[in-house]
Amino acid sequence: MRPAPDLSLYLVTDTALSRPRPVADVVRAAVAGGATAVQVRDKDASRRDLLALTRAVQAAVAHRPDVPVVVNDAVDVALIAGADGVHVGQDDLPAAEVRRLLGADALLGLSVESVEHLAAALRLPAGTVDVVGLSPVWATPTKPDAGPGLGLDGVRELAARARAGGLRAVAIGGIDSGRAAAVAATGVDGICVVSEICTAADPEAAARRLRAAFDRAGAR
Amino acid sequence: MRPAPDLSLYLVTDTALSRPRPVADVVRAAVAGGATAVQVRDKDASRRDLLALTRAVQAAVAHRPDVPVVVNDAVDVALIAGADGVHVGQDDLPAAEVRRLLGADALLGLSVESVEHLAAALRLPAGTVDVVGLSPVWATPTKPDAGPGLGLDGVRELAARARAGGLRAVAIGGIDSGRAAAVAATGVDGICVVSEICTAADPEAAARRLRAAFDRAGAR
């Protein structure tokens, strides 16, 4: 069995928001501050550039084998880079097919935006999906294609259903350090953060603040 | 060793130009008319939709195992669908990495737009790339990001260099039945066609016309 990584503070990268810094620098700082997992996301990059970005992020956290590096959407990039996993959305390749390509040891995440999405994820064979990304908690400009917000009540309900079905759950969308404790209290295994870390003058301090807020809520 | 497929008339699909017909219908007709290979290309489709499209095309030509179905760019889609190969551009995943993922039997194509691109392809280990797509012969609205046209002289020169280096060569960009014979006379192994087939009221007749023009030039 693969070990379950700590998803408490799950950084999702944004190349534009990280500028002028390289994404890898932001990732390194965030991990030093307490980020426990990283998802490399860049919907605008070519696959070639996304591969280079993924490798740069892997190199930035090579000293922390406990921190998984997951690739958003691009299964081929993840396979070539030897990433720890893939996160797919509802429009990306079907989770069952992705699991077959990745093998049993990879971390496979799936975005769910509704009770129906979650029910479909729970109908997949055990071991297909490891973690669902409950999305979005609140509407957010970094993912304009996401639906209306689930809100804290929606997240609480979906997280409970996911856990009952043997899946872990992280929440994403509009989470900052002011809201992190409230999200943690819904019972999720972690919070995904984009903006507050990628735009921070000091991403390490931002990660430390977010991590403290999450940990204080005692959700782990 | 894998058999070298006939690339004489290589249809590259365009979902928008095929409308209102499903791409698979156009492909079936084109193959009936003499298309010898198919590349599934849809830069606007999600990977999930591209997978469905690839499977529909595979089903449409399942009675013709001699006609390879190749996926443009999306290595993960090709792997899941069990496609016959992948075609990558200069901004897509690096050919050497793609070959490693696909295994030795897949057909791997690479777009080259210059002598420098071709020289780089020829420096790859033997067996990495099978065929280069010389692109574009003429500037074309179906691929606005392609560079200025190579012209017939450029295609002739690149095709000769490719052959000397053990690679097959097909030409793409602005080729219609009026120009097919001239392109065939450059010594390429085949012509790639998008618009004349995908926009045709009768794609089977269009393919027959293109194939006749190519074959008459005796380039095979």
Side-chain angles (χ1 to χ4, degrees):
Chain A
M1 267 196 57
R2 54 185 180 267
D6 183 352
L7 302 175
S8 301
L9 179 54
Y10 191 171
L11 169 62
V12 179
T13 70
D14 188 301
T15 304
L17 294 181
S18 299
R19 285 194 185 110
R21 301 161 297 193
V23 168
D25 288 4
V26 172
V27 168
R28 191 183 295 108
V31 167
T36 60
V38 181
Q39 182 185 135
V40 181
R41 185 169 79 183
D42 189 336
K43 294 290 194 186
D44 298 324
S46 69
R47 294 273 159 142
R48 175 179 288 249
D49 289 344
L50 188 62
L51 175 61
L53 176 61
T54 300
R55 286 176 163 156
V57 168
Q58 289 175 310
V61 299
H63 62 295
R64 289 289 303 274
D66 58 315
V67 174
V69 174
V70 168
V71 178
N72 183 276
D73 176 11
V75 181
D76 39 18
V77 169
L79 287 169
I80 291 172
D84 299 299
V86 167
H87 185 91
V88 290
Q90 294 287 324
D91 291 337
D92 297 331
L93 290 167
E97 320 265 23
V98 174
R99 170 60 72 194
R100 224 166 286 141
L101 276 187
L102 292 177
D105 288 342
L107 182 70
L108 180 54
L110 173 66
S111 295
V112 308
E113 289 149 33
S114 65
V115 172
E116 292 69 32
H117 287 173
L118 179 59
L122 291 169
R123 282 194 299 270
L124 293 168
T128 303
V129 169
D130 298 300
V131 56
V132 287
L134 308 179
S135 164
V137 189
W138 293 283
T140 158
T142 62
K143 201 157 191 300
D145 58 327
L150 297 166
L152 291 170
D153 289 342
V155 170
R156 188 178 298 110
E157 181 193 341
L158 291 176
R161 289 187 191 218
R163 287 207 162 179
L167 300 184
R168 305 175 78 203
V170 292
I172 183 166
I175 302 174
D176 59 26
S177 50
R179 290 160 149 180
V183 178
T186 63
V188 291
D189 296 282
I191 52 173
C192 299
V193 175
V194 184
S195 302
E196 183 157 329
I197 293 176
C198 292
T199 65
D202 184 344
E204 180 175 342
R208 187 164 288 122
R209 196 163 61 229
L210 283 154
R211 179 68 185 279
F214 184 84
D215 288 353
R216 261 200 309 275
R220 293 174 59 204
Chain B
M1 268 197 57
R2 52 186 182 266
D6 183 350
L7 301 174
S8 302
L9 178 56
Y10 191 171
L11 169 63
V12 179
T13 70
D14 188 302
T15 304
L17 294 182
S18 297
R19 285 194 185 111
R21 302 161 296 192
V23 167
D25 288 5
V26 172
V27 167
R28 191 182 295 106
V31 168
T36 60
V38 181
Q39 182 184 135
V40 181
R41 185 169 78 183
D42 188 336
K43 293 290 193 187
D44 298 323
S46 69
R47 293 275 159 141
R48 174 178 288 251
D49 289 344
L50 187 63
L51 175 61
L53 176 61
T54 301
R55 286 177 164 156
V57 168
Q58 288 175 310
V61 299
H63 62 295
R64 289 289 303 273
D66 57 316
V67 174
V69 175
V70 168
V71 178
N72 182 276
D73 176 12
V75 181
D76 40 18
V77 169
L79 287 169
I80 291 173
D84 299 299
V86 168
H87 185 91
V88 290
Q90 293 287 325
D91 290 338
D92 298 331
L93 291 168
E97 320 266 23
V98 174
R99 170 60 73 193
R100 222 166 287 141
L101 277 187
L102 292 176
D105 288 342
L107 182 69
L108 180 54
L110 173 66
S111 296
V112 308
E113 289 150 33
S114 65
V115 171
E116 292 70 31
H117 287 171
L118 179 59
L122 291 169
R123 283 194 299 270
L124 293 168
T128 303
V129 169
D130 298 301
V131 56
V132 287
L134 308 179
S135 164
V137 189
W138 293 282
T140 158
T142 63
K143 201 157 191 299
D145 57 327
L150 298 166
L152 291 171
D153 289 342
V155 169
R156 187 177 299 110
E157 181 193 340
L158 291 175
R161 289 186 190 219
R163 287 207 163 179
L167 301 183
R168 305 175 78 203
V170 294
I172 183 166
I175 302 175
D176 59 25
S177 50
R179 291 161 149 181
V183 178
T186 64
V188 292
D189 296 283
I191 52 173
C192 299
V193 175
V194 185
S195 301
E196 182 157 330
I197 292 176
C198 293
T199 64
D202 184 344
E204 180 175 341
R208 187 164 288 122
R209 195 162 62 230
L210 283 153
R211 179 69 185 277
F214 184 85
D215 289 353
R216 258 199 311 274
R220 291 172 62 205

